[in-house]
Amino acid sequence: MNIDFYLISAARRAHRLRPGKGYVFGREEGVDILLQDALASRRHAEMRWIEEGYWLVADLGSRNGVLINSKRIGQPQRMNDGDQIQIGGQVFRLQVLPPGADPASLSAQAPQISNLETMGPGYSLKDLQQQSATFTGVVTAGGVMELLQFFQVTGKSGRLDLIDGPEAAAVFMIQGSPVYAQAGTTMGIDALAQLAHKAPPRFSFHADTLPPGERNLQGSAQGILMEVARMMDEQGK
C-alpha cells in the first residue's frame, strides 16, 4: 500500500519525502532543503531512506549538531512518525499520512482532546467531528479497508471519523488495532463492515483520542480485517 511521508516545518510548510531519495539540509545552494539560518552549517544533516521502510538522519559534521526529540544525536538515528528534528534554529516534524490525506490539513493542527471525559456527558460523534483534526483527506478507491491497513502498519492511536456520509461514523484505534466502531446506531464489527461496504467520501483523524466505552471489536487487527473481508464476501461485494 502507498504511504506518504512529509516533513512539516514550524512555518507550516510541508515537504514531501520520497522513499529512495536522500535529503541534505543546510545553507549551501543546491541542497535539498535550504535553510536560511545562521545556526545551520552549509551541509548540516542528511535524511535518507532505508529499504527496511524507515528514514535515517545523520549529522554531516555540523557545528551545532542535530537534535531528535530535543536530544543531540551522535550516530545516525532512525526517525519515527511524529518525531521532531532540530537543525540550527529550524524544527521539523515527520508525519506519515495514508492515501488520500491532504497535507495542507496538517497546518491546522490544534491540541487534541485526549480523553472523552473532558467533554462531559451528552457528547455525540457529530460534536467530536468539530474538534480540530490531526489530518484530513478523501477516501480513495481502496476504501476504509485501505485506511485501516495504514493504521495497522503505522501503529497509530486515535479516532478515524468518516464524514460527509448519511450518518456519523467513527473507528477508534489503539496502536493500529481497531477497538471500537460506530456507524449511526450500528456498532462493532457490523459497523465496520457497513463502512467497508460503502464508505463516506471524506475522513479526518484525531490522534490519541480514547474510545467512548469498552471495546466492541475483539481480536487482532489482522483478524478483524479478515472478518470484515469475509462479511463483505458474503454480501457479494
Side-chain angles (χ1 to χ4, degrees):
M1 66 175 297
N2 294 323
I3 295 178
D4 293 331
F5 299 87
Y6 289 88
L7 272 184
I8 312 301
S9 72
R12 306 297 189 183
R13 292 189 59 190
H15 304 268
R16 186 176 183 184
L17 303 176
R18 301 185 182 278
K21 177 176 169 55
Y23 294 85
V24 174
F25 301 74
R27 291 187 292 107
E28 183 177 83
E29 291 292 336
V31 298
D32 300 286
I33 299 180
L34 182 64
L35 305 177
Q36 301 292 342
D37 187 333
L39 296 176
S41 298
R42 289 183 299 172
R43 293 174 63 84
H44 195 115
E46 182 182 21
M47 193 170 183
R48 59 180 180 268
W49 178 252
I50 304 302
E51 290 186 359
E52 284 75 6
Y54 60 90
W55 294 94
L56 198 70
V57 174
D59 188 336
L60 298 180
S62 66
R63 295 191 312 275
N64 295 310
V66 176
L67 283 72
I68 294 182
N69 298 330
S70 302
K71 295 182 179 179
R72 186 163 180 164
I73 65 173
Q75 300 294 325
Q77 184 168 322
R78 174 174 177 165
M79 277 196 75
N80 298 310
D81 183 28
D83 282 351
Q84 290 193 155
I85 176 174
Q86 181 174 341
I87 299 172
Q90 308 296 312
V91 180
F92 302 86
R93 187 183 69 255
L94 179 65
Q95 182 74 58
V96 181
L97 294 181
D102 179 9
S105 67
L106 295 170
S107 65
Q109 286 193 56
Q112 301 296 303
I113 292 177
S114 60
N115 191 322
L116 295 183
E117 293 177 1
T118 62
M119 297 189 69
Y123 75 90
S124 70
L125 286 176
K126 288 186 178 180
D127 294 332
L128 291 174
Q129 289 173 356
Q130 302 306 312
Q131 301 297 327
S132 296
T134 305
F135 55 78
T136 65
V138 176
V139 177
T140 61
V144 168
M145 293 292 278
E146 185 175 45
L147 282 171
L148 294 177
Q149 288 172 350
F150 164 81
F151 289 109
Q152 180 186 5
V153 169
T154 58
K156 289 180 179 289
S157 297
R159 185 184 79 249
L160 174 68
D161 288 334
L162 286 308
I163 53 181
D164 294 342
E167 52 192 7
V171 182
F172 291 79
M173 265 83 54
I174 294 179
Q175 296 181 346
S177 181
V179 297
Y180 189 96
Q182 180 176 351
T185 59
T186 306
M187 309 291 286
I189 195 71
D190 291 330
L192 208 54
Q194 177 180 316
L195 293 170
H197 179 74
K198 187 175 182 180
R202 294 187 56 80
F203 70 86
S204 63
F205 178 68
H206 304 253
D208 301 323
T209 304
L210 299 177
E214 293 185 6
R215 62 184 299 163
N216 58 22
L217 294 169
Q218 306 299 327
S220 66
Q222 187 62 28
I224 291 169
L225 294 181
M226 291 297 292
E227 176 62 15
V228 171
R230 184 193 66 78
M231 294 172 71
M232 292 175 67
D233 287 342
E234 287 187 352
Q235 295 171 6
K237 183 172 176 62

